Structures are given as structure tokens and as C-alpha cells.
Amino acid sequence: MPAPLIWVGAALAGIYAGNKANTNYLKRKQVVGSMPGESKLTITPVNGSIVCCGIYGVLDHTGIWIDNTIYELSGQGLVRCLSPNRFLGKRSGSTIYVACDANSNPLFEENSVGLARSRLYTLLDYHLFDQNCHRFVAETLAGHSVDIMSFSDLNIFLHQHFSTLINWHKASNN
């Protein structure tokens, strides 16, 4: 049985290395100024803010902040609304981060609040690389279908959508 554990470890190491390379690429291209955990600033999210947390130091999970709750697409494909504590639950991250512009103002889209609320309790065909939390967030902001597969893709989308450098700061409502 040690072989499957070695494969899992190798896969996680590969994902981690890929994430580090993507982070460096996004910074060189001036898409992202600070990734989650790199900034010491604390920001209060506003309705429609984009938030994220870490998953075992390898992946990121994203959602939309609405009335001190977070709307997310779960791994089962259910669009649901959670408290910040439940958003962090069963994940390794202990901190929620909020996407901000170059001046550290939370990025938000007012229309995304209504769209996220209208999708509450709907069931989507979840897929880790195709129909995931990052795509849900981007589509909620854009109001239409977008091709997003990863946290890096989401950062590029946010950079283009808001025309600003993206900075991830700790959310004050943790």
C-alpha cells in the first residue's frame, strides 16, 4: 500500500511546484501584487467581495462575500451560503483573504450579489478542473459563462475585469 501514498505525495508536490511557478509568472506579468498570505494588511470585505482560503497549502478555494457570509460552489456542486468559520472548516487554511485593487480597496461587483443569491441551492455539474469554485466566482462577477480552470486563471480574469493589479489581503472578519 505505500505506492499509492507515494503517488499522492508526488502529485501534491507537483501541484505545489506548479502553483509557485504560476505565482512568479503572475507577479512578473504584473497581474498580482501579493498572493494570499504575503501581505500584512487587514481589509474589511464588502458585499460582492471575492474571498479565498487555502486548502492544505496546495490549492485555493474561492467564494463571494455577502452580508458576512460566503457564497461558494461546494465540491458536490451545490451553491451554498456559509459563515466564515464554516467556509474555513475542513480545510487547512485558518485565514480568509479578500481580493483588492492596487490601492488595497476590496474588489466587488454589485450585480454579483443578486446573481449569487439567485443561484443559492442550485446544483451544478462540479468538476475540479472545469466547473469549480473559481469559475463560479468569475461567472458570478461577469454575469455570463467564462472559461476559468484555476486560481491563476481567476487572478488573470480579475486583473482584466477590474483593470488593476490584484492584491490578496487578510479579511478582518475572520
Side-chain angles (χ1 to χ4, degrees):
M1 280 294 181
L5 292 177
I6 292 171
W7 295 335
V8 169
L12 290 175
I15 291 170
Y16 178 79
N19 285 346
K20 285 294 184 191
N22 283 339
T23 295
N24 292 336
Y25 172 79
L26 293 173
K27 286 185 174 187
R28 275 195 323 274
K29 292 294 182 180
Q30 296 185 352
V31 170
V32 172
S34 61
M35 293 296 276
E38 294 179 348
S39 169
K40 296 195 184 295
L41 286 178
T42 301
I43 304 295
T44 301
V46 298
N47 278 350
S49 290
I50 303 96
V51 295
C52 80
C53 69
I55 302 176
Y56 304 112
V58 179
L59 299 171
D60 296 284
H61 181 60
T62 54
I64 304 288
W65 185 275
I66 302 173
D67 295 331
N68 295 319
T69 62
I70 300 169
Y71 283 60
E72 67 163 15
L73 176 62
S74 75
Q76 293 76 37
L78 180 66
V79 177
R80 60 188 182 176
C81 174
L82 304 171
S83 70
N85 286 340
R86 291 214 42 221
F87 182 74
L88 292 170
K90 297 184 182 175
R91 298 183 177 108
S92 66
S94 60
T95 305
I96 295 173
Y97 298 94
V98 59
C100 295
D101 65 15
N103 296 316
S104 300
N105 299 307
L107 296 173
F108 68 97
E109 190 72 53
E110 287 189 34
N111 295 336
S112 67
V113 173
L115 186 53
R117 284 182 172 145
S118 73
R119 296 178 85 183
L120 186 61
Y121 302 122
T122 58
L123 194 60
L124 304 176
D125 185 22
Y126 181 87
H127 186 272
L128 182 61
F129 299 112
D130 216 14
Q131 180 64 45
N132 57 31
C133 61
H134 309 310
R135 184 173 181 164
F136 168 75
V137 167
E139 289 180 349
T140 302
L141 293 169
H144 56 80
S145 181
V146 294
D147 191 22
I148 301 286
M149 290 177 47
S150 66
F151 188 62
S152 292
D153 290 344
L154 177 62
N155 278 289
I156 292 167
F157 168 82
L158 294 173
H159 171 71
Q160 293 169 344
H161 185 76
F162 291 105
S163 300
T164 188
L165 187 69
I166 307 303
N167 289 290
W168 292 92
H169 301 301
K170 182 178 178 182
S172 63
N173 290 34
N174 280 285

